[in-house]
Amino acid sequence: MSLLDSVVTIVRVLFAAFIPVCFLAVLVWMERRGCGFIQDRSGPNRANIFGFRLAGIVQNLADGLKLAFKEDVIPGHVKYKFYYVLAPVLVFTIAIVSFAAVPFADALVLNGKSYLMQGIPTDLGILWFLAIVGFAVYGIILAGWSSHNKYGMLGGLRAAAQVISYEIPMGLAVISLLIVYGTVNLTGIVQYQGQLLFGFIPMWGIVLQPLGAIIFIVAAFAEANRIPFDMVEGESEIVAGFHTEYSGMKFAMFFMGEYVAMFTSSAVIVTLFFGGFQIPWLSTAFMVEHTRIVTLLLMIALPVLAHLFAGWIRKNNRSHYPRENDPRVFEATWYIRTLWVVLILLELLLLVFLIIGAGGAAASILAACLQVTAFLLKVTFMCFVYVWVRWTLPRFRYDQLQKLGWQTLIPLSLLNIFITGAVVVALS
């Protein structure tokens, strides 16, 4: 393996391993602030380090330290301690591994060699996700069973029933997609979505398979155990379900596993239905061939976006009542200064690239960086949809959850396969 191969391998493995973990802070913050906004309250905005609150993100650090130093109790009635400890590790690990086959940029071509931009460069694609994600329920079942608690056991049983009910329509929705795309390779699926329908509409999965998208997204919500499908926890009925007997970092691993699973399922939804890493009307080939134009547009767009973001910071980072020497205004001033310093460094980097390195491997790397940014922005928006739904809809009753899966989604997914097959055969 050459040095270049080693560097690319390390970069894509680190990205696939650490980006979902790093997004934990973003998603917990988004959950709390989104909840506060929908319920017309502030959300976390008090915890600070030397007066800097980072809009509430510092609260996540405080919570992490609290859980890390909290007493980690294993109840005396737990008989199988190995499985009790294994369960949260399994849930968290599977959530991370599920993301390994998701491409975050187009195949990177360096020195005539192509590199798949995903943690594990496998051709299994969507089959990898479907195979791995189902194992997460084993961690939940193990947690409920090994806890030796009736509420935990009920949560585990509900998880088993729920995953059976919703993995079937999810798999059937994927079949209708594969009929259209003709491949299970996720990079190939995203490249297909880079085409234009009628010359101007991006051929995203949501356009080609709107019913399949709805079915898959609903099933993904159920697989992630998010409201309105959080029957496995059901606080009003079974205390906390499968993690009733957990505390400290073991509980934190369940907590983190849920948010990593939310990030992973959002990434898969974006990859299948919203163009993945594709930037609308800007294909990889176009960006590589017209690097100078793309760089100039980027240099113009970044200051405009930074100015708008700075205005948003000034507007929202102040006290709600008249206050002399408002500390939040002082805090906002430093945020804006940091923002402009970062912007100047980026502009200088782009200027050097424009003068010296436009073309060749540098052009491919710039295109990959833009695609990674587009991919993460789409995933962030999809994660917000998860938060939006959670704080808008009530929890389903258990019979409603089962009826939705078996009596609605499965028949619709079968009908979608039939219609998709008929259209594809007719157009071919």
Side-chain angles (χ1 to χ4, degrees), residues 216-239:
F216 189 93
I217 291 171
V218 171
F221 270 78
E223 289 288 315
N225 297 321
R226 295 280 300 182
I227 288 179
F229 300 96
D230 67 331
M231 300 302 299
V232 299
E233 299 173 22
E235 294 93 340
S236 60
E237 306 154 24
I238 52 175
V239 185

Side-chain angles (χ1 to χ4, degrees), residues 355-410:
I355 297 171
I356 300 174
S364 298
I365 292 172
L366 177 64
C369 291
L370 292 175
Q371 289 173 339
V372 168
T373 304
F375 174 76
L376 292 179
L377 287 173
K378 291 179 185 179
V379 172
T380 303
F381 178 77
M382 191 64 221
C383 289
F384 173 73
V385 173
Y386 271 86
V387 173
W388 188 4
V389 170
R390 173 176 180 177
W391 298 104
T392 303
L393 298 179
R395 180 184 300 127
F396 291 157
R397 288 200 320 263
Y398 193 69
D399 60 312
Q400 293 174 329
L401 182 142
Q402 293 295 327
K403 285 181 179 178
L404 177 64
W406 290 99
Q407 297 184 11
T408 303
L409 294 185
I410 291 179

